[in-house]
Coordinates of all heavy atoms in Angstrom, one line a residue:
L785 N 4.0 -14.6 6.4 CA 4.8 -13.5 7.0 C 5.4 -14.0 8.3 O 6.4 -13.5 8.8 CB 4.0 -12.3 7.3 CG 3.5 -11.6 6.0 CD1 2.8 -10.3 6.4 CD2 4.6 -11.3 5.0
A786 N 4.8 -15.1 8.9 CA 5.3 -15.6 10.2 C 6.4 -16.6 10.0 O 7.0 -17.1 11.0 CB 4.2 -16.2 11.0
T787 N 6.7 -17.0 8.7 CA 7.7 -18.1 8.5 C 9.1 -17.6 8.6 O 10.0 -18.4 8.6 CB 7.5 -18.7 7.1 OG1 7.7 -17.7 6.1 CG2 6.1 -19.3 6.9
G788 N 9.3 -16.3 8.5 CA 10.7 -15.7 8.5 C 11.0 -15.2 7.1 O 10.4 -15.6 6.1
E789 N 12.0 -14.4 7.0 CA 12.4 -13.8 5.7 C 13.2 -14.8 4.9 O 14.1 -15.5 5.4 CB 13.3 -12.5 6.0 CG 12.5 -11.3 6.5 CD 11.5 -10.8 5.5 OE1 11.8 -10.9 4.3 OE2 10.5 -10.3 5.9
S790 N 12.9 -14.8 3.6 CA 13.7 -15.7 2.7 C 13.6 -15.1 1.3 O 12.8 -14.2 1.1 CB 13.1 -17.1 2.7 OG 11.8 -17.1 2.0
Q791 N 14.3 -15.6 0.4 CA 14.3 -15.1 -1.0 C 12.9 -15.4 -1.6 O 12.5 -14.7 -2.5 CB 15.4 -15.8 -1.8 CG 16.8 -15.3 -1.5 CD 17.8 -16.0 -2.4 OE1 18.2 -17.1 -2.1 NE2 18.3 -15.3 -3.4
A792 N 12.3 -16.5 -1.2 CA 11.0 -16.8 -1.8 C 9.8 -16.0 -1.3 O 8.8 -15.9 -1.9 CB 10.7 -18.3 -1.6
T793 N 10.0 -15.4 -0.1 CA 8.9 -14.7 0.6 C 8.3 -13.6 -0.2 O 7.0 -13.5 -0.4 CB 9.3 -14.2 2.0 OG1 9.7 -15.3 2.7 CG2 8.1 -13.5 2.7
P794 N 9.0 -12.6 -0.8 CA 8.4 -11.5 -1.5 C 7.6 -12.0 -2.7 O 6.5 -11.5 -2.9 CB 9.6 -10.7 -2.0 CG 10.7 -11.0 -1.0 CD 10.5 -12.4 -0.7
G795 N 8.1 -13.0 -3.5 CA 7.3 -13.5 -4.6 C 6.0 -14.2 -4.1 O 4.9 -13.9 -4.7
M796 N 6.1 -14.9 -3.1 CA 4.9 -15.6 -2.5 C 3.9 -14.5 -2.1 O 2.7 -14.6 -2.3 CB 5.2 -16.5 -1.4 CG 5.9 -17.8 -1.7 SD 6.2 -18.8 -0.3 CE 7.0 -20.2 -1.0
A797 N 4.4 -13.5 -1.3 CA 3.5 -12.5 -0.8 C 2.8 -11.7 -1.9 O 1.6 -11.4 -1.8 CB 4.3 -11.5 0.1
A798 N 3.5 -11.4 -3.0 CA 2.9 -10.7 -4.1 C 1.8 -11.5 -4.8 O 0.7 -11.0 -5.1 CB 4.0 -10.4 -5.2
K799 N 2.1 -12.9 -4.9 CA 1.0 -13.7 -5.5 C -0.2 -13.8 -4.6 O -1.3 -13.8 -5.1 CB 1.6 -15.1 -5.8 CG 2.6 -15.2 -6.9 CD 3.2 -16.6 -7.0 CE 4.3 -16.6 -8.1 NZ 3.8 -16.4 -9.4
L800 N 0.0 -13.9 -3.3 CA -1.1 -13.9 -2.4 C -1.9 -12.6 -2.4 O -3.1 -12.6 -2.3 CB -0.6 -14.3 -1.0 CG -0.2 -15.7 -0.7 CD1 0.5 -15.8 0.6 CD2 -1.4 -16.6 -0.8
T801 N -1.2 -11.5 -2.5 CA -1.9 -10.2 -2.5 C -2.8 -10.1 -3.8 O -4.0 -9.7 -3.7 CB -0.9 -9.1 -2.5 OG1 -0.1 -9.1 -1.3 CG2 -1.6 -7.7 -2.6
R802 N -2.3 -10.6 -4.9 CA -3.1 -10.6 -6.1 C -4.3 -11.6 -6.0 O -5.4 -11.3 -6.4 CB -2.3 -11.0 -7.3 CG -1.3 -9.9 -7.7 CD -0.7 -10.2 -9.1 NE 0.1 -11.4 -9.2 CZ 1.4 -11.4 -9.0 NH1 2.0 -10.3 -8.6 NH2 2.0 -12.6 -9.1
G803 N -4.0 -12.7 -5.3 CA -5.1 -13.7 -5.1 C -6.2 -13.2 -4.2 O -7.4 -13.5 -4.5
I804 N -5.8 -12.5 -3.2 CA -6.8 -11.9 -2.3 C -7.7 -10.9 -3.0 O -8.9 -10.9 -2.9 CB -6.1 -11.2 -1.1 CG1 -5.5 -12.3 -0.2 CG2 -7.0 -10.3 -0.3 CD1 -4.5 -11.7 0.8
A805 N -7.1 -10.0 -3.8 CA -7.9 -9.1 -4.6 C -8.7 -9.8 -5.6 O -9.9 -9.4 -5.9 CB -6.9 -8.1 -5.3
W806 N -8.2 -10.9 -6.2 CA -9.0 -11.6 -7.2 C -10.2 -12.3 -6.6 O -11.3 -12.2 -7.2 CB -8.1 -12.6 -7.9 CG -8.8 -13.4 -9.0 CD1 -9.0 -13.1 -10.2 CD2 -9.3 -14.8 -8.8 NE1 -9.7 -14.1 -10.9 CE2 -9.8 -15.2 -10.0 CE3 -9.3 -15.7 -7.7 CZ2 -10.4 -16.4 -10.2 CZ3 -9.8 -16.9 -7.9 CH2 -10.4 -17.3 -9.2
T807 N -10.1 -12.9 -5.5 CA -11.2 -13.6 -4.9 C -12.3 -12.5 -4.5 O -13.5 -12.8 -4.5 CB -10.8 -14.4 -3.7 OG1 -10.0 -13.7 -2.8 CG2 -10.1 -15.7 -4.1
E808 N -11.9 -11.4 -4.0 CA -12.8 -10.3 -3.7 C -13.6 -9.9 -5.0 O -14.8 -9.7 -4.9 CB -12.1 -9.1 -3.2 CG -11.6 -9.3 -1.8 CD -10.7 -8.1 -1.3 OE1 -10.5 -7.2 -2.1 OE2 -10.3 -8.0 -0.1
A809 N -12.9 -9.8 -6.1 CA -13.5 -9.5 -7.4 C -14.5 -10.6 -7.8 O -15.6 -10.3 -8.3 CB -12.5 -9.2 -8.4
V810 N -14.1 -11.8 -7.7 CA -14.9 -13.0 -8.1 C -16.2 -13.0 -7.3 O -17.3 -13.2 -7.8 CB -14.2 -14.3 -7.9 CG1 -15.2 -15.5 -8.1 CG2 -13.1 -14.4 -9.0
A811 N -16.1 -12.8 -6.0 CA -17.3 -12.8 -5.1 C -18.3 -11.7 -5.5 O -19.5 -11.9 -5.7 CB -16.9 -12.6 -3.6
G812 N -17.8 -10.5 -5.8 CA -18.6 -9.4 -6.3 C -19.2 -9.7 -7.6 O -20.4 -9.4 -7.9
A813 N -18.4 -10.2 -8.6 CA -18.9 -10.5 -9.9 C -20.0 -11.6 -9.9 O -21.0 -11.5 -10.6 CB -17.8 -11.0 -10.8
R814 N -19.8 -12.6 -9.0 CA -20.8 -13.7 -8.9 C -22.2 -13.1 -8.4 O -23.2 -13.5 -8.9 CB -20.3 -14.8 -8.0 CG -19.2 -15.6 -8.6 CD -19.7 -16.4 -9.8 NE -18.6 -17.1 -10.4 CZ -18.8 -17.9 -11.5 NH1 -19.9 -18.0 -12.0 NH2 -17.7 -18.5 -12.0
L815 N -22.1 -12.2 -7.4 CA -23.3 -11.7 -6.9 C -24.0 -10.8 -7.9 O -25.2 -10.9 -8.1 CB -23.0 -10.8 -5.6 CG -22.6 -11.6 -4.4 CD1 -22.2 -10.6 -3.3 CD2 -23.8 -12.4 -3.9
R816 N -23.2 -10.1 -8.7 CA -23.8 -9.2 -9.8 C -24.4 -10.1 -10.9 O -25.5 -9.8 -11.4 CB -22.8 -8.3 -10.4 CG -22.4 -7.2 -9.4 CD -21.6 -6.1 -10.1 NE -20.3 -6.6 -10.6 CZ -19.2 -6.7 -9.9 NH1 -19.2 -6.3 -8.6 NH2 -18.0 -7.2 -10.4
A817 N -23.7 -11.2 -11.2 CA -24.3 -12.1 -12.2 C -25.6 -12.7 -11.7 O -26.5 -12.9 -12.5 CB -23.2 -13.2 -12.5
G818 N -25.7 -13.1 -10.5 CA -26.9 -13.6 -10.0 C -28.1 -12.6 -10.1 O -29.2 -13.0 -10.4
R819 N -27.7 -11.4 -9.8 CA -28.8 -10.3 -9.8 C -29.2 -10.1 -11.3 O -30.4 -10.0 -11.6 CB -28.2 -9.0 -9.3 CG -27.9 -9.0 -7.8 CD -27.7 -7.6 -7.3 NE -27.0 -7.6 -6.0 CZ -25.7 -7.4 -5.8 NH1 -24.9 -7.1 -6.8 NH2 -25.2 -7.4 -4.6
R820 N -28.3 -10.2 -12.2 CA -28.6 -10.0 -13.6 C -29.5 -11.2 -14.1 O -30.5 -11.0 -14.9 CB -27.3 -10.0 -14.5 CG -26.5 -8.7 -14.3 CD -25.4 -8.6 -15.3 NE -24.6 -7.4 -15.1 CZ -23.4 -7.4 -14.5 NH1 -22.9 -8.6 -14.1 NH2 -22.7 -6.3 -14.4
I821 N -29.2 -12.4 -13.7 CA -30.0 -13.5 -14.1 C -31.4 -13.4 -13.5 O -32.4 -13.7 -14.2 CB -29.3 -14.9 -13.7 CG1 -28.1 -15.1 -14.6 CG2 -30.3 -16.0 -13.8 CD1 -27.4 -16.4 -14.3
R822 N -31.5 -13.0 -12.2 CA -32.8 -12.8 -11.6 C -33.6 -11.7 -12.4 O -34.8 -11.8 -12.6 CB -32.7 -12.5 -10.2 CG -32.3 -13.7 -9.3 CD -32.5 -13.4 -7.8 NE -31.5 -12.4 -7.4 CZ -30.3 -12.7 -6.9 NH1 -29.9 -14.0 -6.9 NH2 -29.4 -11.8 -6.6
S823 N -32.8 -10.7 -12.8 CA -33.5 -9.6 -13.5 C -34.0 -10.1 -14.9 O -35.1 -9.8 -15.3 CB -32.5 -8.5 -13.8 OG -33.0 -7.4 -14.6

Side-chain angles (χ1 to χ4, degrees):
L785 296 185
T787 61
E789 289 294 328
S790 72
Q791 286 179 285
T793 302
M796 288 183 180
K799 291 177 183 295
L800 285 171
T801 298
R802 289 195 295 271
I804 289 166
W806 179 78
T807 49
E808 289 175 353
V810 168
R814 289 293 175 179
L815 287 173
R816 290 191 295 274
R819 294 191 196 103
R820 290 189 182 101
I821 288 179
R822 285 191 292 272
S823 177

